[in-house]
Amino acid sequence: MVSPLYGSLMQGMLRHISDIENLVVAPISKASARQRAGRAGRIRPGKCYRLYTEEYFINEMATEGIPEIQRSNLVSCVIQLKALGIDNILGFDWPASPSPEAMVRALEVLYSLGVLDDDAKLTSPAGFQVAEIPLDPMISKMILSSSQLGCSEEIITIAAILSIQSIWVFGRGAQKELDEAKLRFAAAEGG
């Protein structure tokens, strides 16, 4: 049974999130296109279909892709730097400097979670506790807050599911059993 307080915890956490991660379709670079084509047929026969013209490839596509650090969510990285005592993250010597917008967004998320104070320093004890848990800071804060609301068991289950790609394991010849398990799970949760 789910605690009635669980809903208020999730509502409160979602209200404080200023950045929602989503998958955005974006153009790839020439280097990435070549790498993807090289993967086709590496292990078994395969083909790579490109949904753009050769002219677009030659004239429009960037030669190299944007470094990962400039595309990533920096919330976890920023809190770890803060925990290491590096307070001036804007002046930090990054291998490839992230955009100022990404840095500000990371600071805003951490501030809204209550793990940074007005001076952008880790709060005590919440900020240091969140930094110690090896999970996304939003999940860590959710786990820590759940004890005050009396729904730790439910939140730990949710955190575990959010920390993996899929709870369903696909084995050879086990599709029927997998479908039956999904139906039993849905029936148990719905009733």
Side-chain angles (χ1 to χ4, degrees):
M1 179 175 161
V2 177
S3 165
L5 295 174
Y6 159 72
S8 65
L9 173 68
M10 290 305 292
Q11 236 178 1
M13 292 302 294
L14 292 174
R15 200 174 317 121
H16 291 294
I17 297 171
S18 62
D19 184 28
I20 297 174
E21 291 185 35
N22 55 13
L23 184 61
V24 177
V25 177
I28 60 172
S29 66
K30 291 178 184 175
S32 181
R34 287 187 186 103
Q35 181 183 31
R36 289 171 193 223
R39 288 186 182 146
R42 191 177 286 173
I43 298 188
R44 57 181 166 208
K47 294 181 180 183
C48 175
Y49 294 96
R50 295 182 175 178
L51 302 177
Y52 47 83
T53 64
E54 185 175 4
E55 180 184 339
Y56 180 81
F57 179 83
I58 294 168
N59 299 324
E60 303 290 327
M61 290 176 91
T63 306
E64 298 293 326
I66 299 169
E68 174 95 22
I69 195 161
Q70 293 179 348
R71 296 181 281 127
S72 297
N73 179 342
L74 298 176
V75 175
S76 294
C77 187
V78 168
I79 195 169
Q80 289 305 308
L81 288 172
K82 294 284 186 181
L84 290 170
I86 300 169
D87 285 323
N88 183 8
I89 59 166
L90 296 175
F92 184 72
D93 188 20
W94 298 89
S97 295
S99 69
E101 295 84 16
M103 295 294 289
V104 169
R105 196 171 306 122
L107 290 168
E108 286 174 346
V109 169
L110 292 171
Y111 181 79
S112 70
L113 290 173
V115 298
L116 290 183
D117 61 17
D118 292 338
D119 297 322
K121 297 199 183 290
L122 285 178
T123 58
S124 184
F128 289 99
Q129 290 172 334
V130 168
E132 286 179 16
I133 299 173
L135 295 171
D136 180 273
M138 287 186 258
I139 294 175
S140 301
K141 178 66 177 189
M142 179 177 70
I143 290 170
L144 292 171
S145 299
S146 70
S147 64
Q148 299 165 346
L149 298 171
C151 57
S152 294
E153 187 176 330
E154 293 88 352
I155 293 299
I156 292 295
T157 302
I158 292 168
I161 289 174
L162 290 173
S163 297
I164 59 173
Q165 197 168 26
S166 174
I167 61 170
W168 305 110
V169 178
F170 299 98
R172 288 185 175 215
Q175 188 63 42
K176 182 180 177 186
E177 290 85 4
L178 178 63
D179 291 340
E180 290 171 1
K182 285 181 181 180
L183 286 173
R184 284 193 308 271
F185 179 76
E189 288 297 310

